[in-house]
Amino acid sequence: DSIQNTFHVTPLLFIVPIVVIVMIVRKAKPLTALFVGTILAGVFAVIFQPEILMKVAGSDTMNFSSAYKGVMNAMTNSVYIPSGNEILDENKLFSAGGMEGMLSTIWLILCAMFFGGIMQEIGALQKISDTLLSVAKSTFGLFASTTATCIFFNGTASDQYLAIVVPGKMYQKAFQDKGLAPENLSRTLEDSGTVTSILFPWNTGGAYQSKTLGVATGEYVWFAFFNLISPIMTLIFAYFNIKIRKLVTKKSEV
């Protein structure tokens, strides 16, 4: 009852996420899908939640100015909507941080990008890759080096994307020289770069998860079984040569 008394609940509100999902399925550009979803959400808020917008805007009347201010405040600032229910209000269920709530994560992403760019430009990444490749003599060694590099970058570069892109560039030629198909490198990057980012509290992935869940990284890390086991399974598969595809070269026609 508290939700229905506070908001105008109708199945028509599902139109917004459905439109976004359809655009994603049809492989629309991410910025386009986000922009359309944001605009539609603002329009639907004006149509179905005018009272809420007036509260957010701090206005007693609904007009263009209050509607615009309410939508922009909801998108950019921290918003809290009291419902009159003691339990819901105590847990601040109807609250959102907007873009303001994500600024700490954005700063971390920017710092990680700057750090990674500097490391690449001064040649530090190339030096690291050359050292690791000199040790990776076997196929298993190559997989192990790639896995270790991804985890290393998640812990030092503090950004998931750098932990995927940089090792991918570093080991692309090495996988080709070993006669290994590109999907082996791609799978290793995902298994060790993508999933381990949330295990580091200073990484953008860990910071986002901790901020979203409201749980410290050190508390949930021991329950992230998939993230902990995934790199190990990659090494096991590489050691026993399971699902390791070879590079197929097309013979030139005579």
Side-chain angles (χ1 to χ4, degrees), residues 141-162:
L142 180 58
F143 276 87
S145 296
T146 306
T147 300
T149 304
C150 290
I151 297 175
F152 172 79
F153 272 101
N154 266 326
T156 56
S158 303
D159 184 70
Q160 180 191 81
Y161 302 106
L162 290 175

Side-chain angles (χ1 to χ4, degrees), residues 139 142-143 175-176 178-182 184 244-247:
T139 299
L142 180 58
F143 276 87
F175 271 76
Q176 292 177 351
K178 289 286 186 182
L180 299 172
N184 294 297
I244 305 301
R245 297 191 60 182
K246 299 297 182 180
L247 187 64

Side-chain angles (χ1 to χ4, degrees), residues 17-131:
I18 289 174
V19 169
V20 175
I21 292 173
V22 169
M23 295 184 69
I24 294 174
V25 172
R26 295 181 64 86
K27 300 187 182 301
K29 293 182 178 180
L31 288 178
T32 303
L34 288 173
F35 178 77
V36 172
T38 302
I39 296 299
L40 277 180
V43 172
F44 273 54
V46 174
I47 297 174
F48 296 104
Q49 316 294 345
E51 295 83 2
I52 299 298
L53 286 182
M54 286 191 294
K55 291 181 181 179
V56 174
S59 176
D60 297 328
T61 58
M62 185 61 179
N63 49 42
F64 177 81
S65 177
S66 60
Y68 178 79
K69 184 178 180 180
V71 171
M72 294 305 296
N73 283 343
M75 291 180 182
T76 57
N77 302 325
S78 298
V79 175
Y80 169 65
I81 303 171
S83 64
N85 185 291
E86 183 178 350
I87 298 177
L88 297 179
D89 291 343
E90 182 180 355
N91 293 280
K92 294 185 177 181
L93 181 64
F94 302 142
S95 63
M99 288 188 287
E100 179 185 0
M102 293 300 298
L103 281 179
S104 58
T105 304
I106 293 173
W107 297 137
L108 184 57
I109 293 173
L110 291 175
C111 291
M113 291 174 62
F114 294 151
F115 174 76
I118 293 172
M119 289 280 288
Q120 188 169 9
E121 287 299 319
I122 65 176
L125 296 183
Q126 186 63 41
K127 180 64 177 179
I128 295 172
S129 65
D130 291 342
T131 303

